[in-house]
Each structure stands twice: as structure tokens, then as C-alpha cells.
Amino acid sequence: DTAVSQTPKYLVTQMGNDKSIKCEQNLGHDTMYWYKQDSKKFLKIMFSYNNKELIINETVPNRFSPKSPDKAHLNLHINSLELGDSAVYFCASSRERGETDTQYFGPGTRLTVL
Amino acid sequence: EDQVTQSPEALRLQEGESSSLNCSYTVSGLRGLFWYRQDPGKGPEFLFTLYSAGEEKEKERLKATLTKKESFLHITAPKPEDSATYLCAVLARGSWGKLQFGAGTQVVVTP
């Protein structure tokens, strides 16, 4: 029944580790996104994929690498985690990559780097 | 540079006390303005999309309006379950899905 789902919901790890967050949508949408919400609750886009093609790649450290095995899934892999990576990461999807399409968000993954 | 500013940062209301939230924006060619509600520990939940000045949308106790420079989210006779952070976001011409969010307004409605 869930439209956009993410796993895990919580992720606690040590500095220097590599971790992945998975996202799946069952809405039949063509476009998926990753957003980061920092401690001040400000949401900022990181990446966007349309039909498995990267279309938005904001100024994000190259330790972050998105991967889309198919248009229903978009995973986020983070290498060499740093303290500043601690945040809540949200996945979202929209029907197309148009300028008017509503984006629907997942429940978020709270990443804590110790 | 595109900018989205929400005010106030926080709002405390008594149950039944109507109020309005403001979202002012500066973008080069607005394609859509979105309102979301976010509860603690959850993802943003879509409320409304407004596309052109003069447009209004309503849902239960919420009503969103849009002008060429700002949008208002009016909360009429709020209930405690309306407590949440309300986020405004815009899509600009040529953005191709790059939603730009404001910092949000945290609303607390007390019985």
C-alpha cells in the first residue's frame, strides 16, 4: 500500500564506513529524487533520476553515489561517511520530470554518523 | 538567485484560532508552488499545488492562495491534529523537478 518506501528508517554508523539507503516506489512514476534534510530542517535536493538516467546532480561530495537499477528503485550509496553526513535523507518520486509535477516523499532515513 | 522565504518560523495557536502562513518567493518563471505538511519523524505529505496567480485550493480547514510574489496557507478553526511543520516549495522554469523549499513554519495548536 505504501507509495514511496525507504530502508532502513534509522542508520547509525561509525565515521569512515560505507552505507547504502534503498528507496522503492509503487506509483508507476518515471522520476525519483534524493533530498537531504539537515538539523535545521531545511530540505535540499541532491539527485534526480528519470527512467534510470541521472538528470539532476547537485553540488554533492562524490562520496555520494546514486544508483537506479530500474525506474521503481533509487538507492543512495555513501562512502567514507563523515560526521557532517548526519541528517535525514528523503526519497521522492514524480510522474515525470516536468516542471509542474508533484513529488511524493518517502518516510525518510535518519543517518547518524558517530 | 531563486529564493523561498516562509514566515513566521513558528506559530502557536489556540484551538479554533484561525491564522495564515506566508511563503514569499523570488524565482525566474514560476511553474508551480507546492505546500506540504511534515509531522515529526515523517516525510513531507503533499497538500496543494498552485500554478498561477489568483488560484486557490482548499482541503478541510486549509486553504492555499497564490499571488505573483507570495502564497498564503490559511488555517481556519484549527484543531490540535493540525499541528505540524508546513513547508512551501517552488518549481521554476527550467528546473526539471528541482524543488526549492522554504525553511518551514512550525505550527502548534493547543486545546
Side-chain angles (χ1 to χ4, degrees):
Chain A
D1 187 44
T2 305
V4 182
S5 59
Q6 295 178 229
T7 54
K9 186 162 177 62
Y10 300 98
L11 189 50
V12 181
T13 188
Q14 299 287 334
M15 264 196 323
N17 284 350
D18 303 339
K19 290 293 178 186
S20 292
I21 306 171
K22 294 186 176 181
C23 178
E24 176 181 1
Q25 55 93 3
N26 63 6
L27 296 167
H29 287 169
D30 285 344
T31 306
M32 296 183 73
Y33 311 80
W34 278 111
Y35 285 82
K36 179 180 181 180
Q37 189 170 45
D38 59 27
S39 56
K40 294 185 179 179
K41 308 296 184 185
F42 195 68
L43 264 166
K44 192 166 183 184
I45 193 166
M46 300 172 68
F47 301 103
S48 171
Y49 268 76
N50 176 260
N51 273 323
K52 303 197 302 177
E53 178 189 354
L54 181 66
I55 56 171
I56 295 176
N57 187 354
E58 288 295 284
T59 308
V60 175
N62 57 15
R63 298 181 294 103
F64 290 78
S65 54
K67 287 187 180 165
S68 181
D70 55 61
K71 73 174 191 177
H73 297 84
L74 180 62
N75 303 323
L76 183 64
H77 188 74
I78 316 170
N79 289 327
S80 303
L81 278 155
E82 299 178 358
L83 292 176
D85 298 331
S86 296
V88 182
Y89 293 85
F90 289 99
C91 177
S93 73
S94 66
R95 188 167 47 91
E96 297 175 356
R97 67 170 184 171
E99 294 175 327
T100 59
D101 289 329
T102 299
Q103 294 179 26
Y104 296 89
F105 285 78
T109 295
R110 180 174 292 278
L111 172 65
T112 303
V113 183
L114 303 174
Chain B
E1 186 179 316
D2 298 342
Q3 201 164 357
V4 181
T5 304
Q6 291 188 247
S7 62
E9 288 185 14
L11 191 59
R12 193 172 184 89
L13 301 170
Q14 290 274 359
E15 185 171 1
E17 178 189 0
S18 301
S19 188
S20 295
L21 283 53
N22 178 265
C23 171
S24 57
Y25 61 91
T26 309
V27 296
S28 48
L30 180 72
R31 286 294 179 259
L33 185 142
F34 302 80
W35 282 99
Y36 289 86
R37 168 195 171 123
Q38 186 173 24
D39 293 303
K42 296 193 175 180
E45 176 189 342
F46 170 69
L47 293 174
F48 304 110
T49 308
L50 301 166
Y51 294 108
S52 56
E55 192 173 357
E56 298 182 352
K57 294 257 178 95
E58 274 188 82
K59 179 180 178 180
E60 295 180 357
R61 295 176 294 282
L62 301 176
K63 179 179 177 180
T65 61
L66 181 65
T67 71
K68 288 186 178 179
K69 293 183 179 180
E70 58 192 349
S71 176
F72 291 94
L73 184 66
H74 307 278
I75 311 178
T76 303
K79 298 182 177 182
E81 52 263 41
D82 295 322
S83 298
T85 296
Y86 291 87
L87 300 168
C88 169
V90 299
L91 279 176
R93 181 178 55 234
S95 66
W96 296 111
K98 182 181 166 183
L99 259 182
Q100 185 155 349
F101 279 86
T105 294
Q106 184 178 19
V107 174
V108 174
V109 182
T110 55

